[in-house]
Amino acid sequence: MTTPLTVNILAFIFGACIGSFLNVCIYRIPAALSIVHPGSSCPRCKTMIPFYDNLPILSYLLLMGKCRSCAAPIAIRYPFVELLGGLFALACALSFGPTLHGLVVFAFIATLIVISFIDLDHRIIPDTISLPGIPLFFLAALAVPSVTWRASAIGILAGGGSLFAVAWVYQSMTGREGMGGGDIKLLAMIGAMVGWQGILFTLFAASAIGTIAGLLTMIRSGKGMRLAIPFGPFLAMGATIYLFFGESLIAWYFNFLR
């Protein structure tokens, strides 16, 4: 579905602003800090950042990636997350139009962005996000035409249950924990949004992407099988791909088999 240029521009700006807030969540949630108060400040000199230095993407470029007060470098991740927010909001506007469906999908993806970066940084998926996310996205999925409440409920059980079974079998066979409980709760949350059909696609895509990324990372690092790689970001990638391309990719796959 195409949308007017102004709607697309506004969608990108809105998404970039949300991306700025996602940076706050990524930094503060693992530290058990409030995401509302106080306002943003420089991690080095602790100077409060004025609104004109906190404009998504633009302020980073104008400040040339440095704090105005102490000239400390600003991590490139901040504008990157803001750019991600803008691009995904634009993608939702282009794919679903300025609708409740598009807003729900964007909120879900924004949640996955926060979870992914926290998992990359700390190897945890906070229960404060995933557990409330399960009932929240179960209700929100009612705005998604392709997902019924039954499919969403089965998706929660299939998502959490499938990874729990894999984790239990792996631990029984090796005596080591191969998958944390955070991944199990995350996939249950994903199942609430994409339904049981989306869970199958998400697991396949996440496993494929994760295997390729894992092999490349192990070769580059030289650590071999000793290297631990968080699975949460790959689950997030698989779910996101399904939301935009899942049905068409599944249809192509079955046509290819004929």
Side-chain angles (χ1 to χ4, degrees), residues 79-111:
F80 177 69
V81 171
E82 292 164 354
L83 179 62
L84 275 182
L87 291 177
F88 276 120
L90 176 60
C92 289
L94 291 171
S95 299
F96 311 110
T99 62
L100 180 59
H101 181 185
L103 185 61
V104 166
V105 171
F106 175 69
F108 180 70
I109 293 174
T111 304

Side-chain angles (χ1 to χ4, degrees), residues 42-72:
C42 173
R44 179 178 174 182
C45 67
K46 307 303 180 183
T47 301
M48 298 298 294
I49 300 175
F51 75 91
Y52 49 80
D53 282 346
N54 211 16
L55 302 175
I57 304 172
L58 184 60
S59 289
Y60 182 88
L61 298 175
L62 293 175
L63 293 170
M64 294 183 289
K66 297 180 180 179
C67 172
R68 184 186 295 274
S69 299
C70 67

Side-chain angles (χ1 to χ4, degrees), residues 49-233:
I49 300 175
F51 75 91
Y52 49 80
D53 282 346
N54 211 16
L55 302 175
I57 304 172
L58 184 60
S59 289
Y60 182 88
L61 298 175
L62 293 175
L63 293 170
M64 294 183 289
K66 297 180 180 179
C67 172
R68 184 186 295 274
S69 299
C70 67
I74 302 171
I76 190 65
R77 172 185 291 188
Y78 289 99
F80 177 69
V81 171
E82 292 164 354
L83 179 62
L84 275 182
L87 291 177
F88 276 120
L90 176 60
C92 289
L94 291 171
S95 299
F96 311 110
T99 62
L100 180 59
H101 181 185
L103 185 61
V104 166
V105 171
F106 175 69
F108 180 70
I109 293 174
T111 304
L112 293 179
I113 290 174
V114 174
I115 288 174
S116 296
F117 279 98
I118 291 177
D119 199 15
L120 287 170
D121 286 342
H122 304 280
R123 300 295 193 270
I124 60 170
I125 298 175
D127 288 347
T128 53
I129 300 177
S130 57
L131 289 181
I134 294 173
L136 179 63
F137 287 112
F138 172 75
L139 295 175
L142 298 177
V144 179
S146 59
V147 180
T148 65
W149 70 268
R150 288 186 179 87
S152 179
I154 296 173
I156 294 172
L157 297 175
S162 59
L163 280 195
F164 178 81
V166 170
W168 182 81
V169 171
Y170 181 87
Q171 188 167 6
S172 299
M173 294 178 63
T174 65
R176 301 192 307 270
E177 182 177 325
M179 187 170 296
D183 294 316
I184 297 171
K185 298 163 194 170
L186 170 60
L187 194 58
M189 188 190 83
I190 291 173
M193 184 66 188
V194 302
W196 66 269
Q197 302 97 327
I199 284 295
L200 299 176
F201 182 95
T202 297
L203 279 173
F204 175 80
S207 299
I209 299 171
T211 298
I212 296 171
L215 288 173
L216 293 176
T217 304
M218 285 188 290
I219 293 172
R220 184 177 178 181
S221 66
K223 293 184 179 180
M225 297 300 292
R226 295 171 297 168
L227 183 67
I229 300 176
F231 194 47

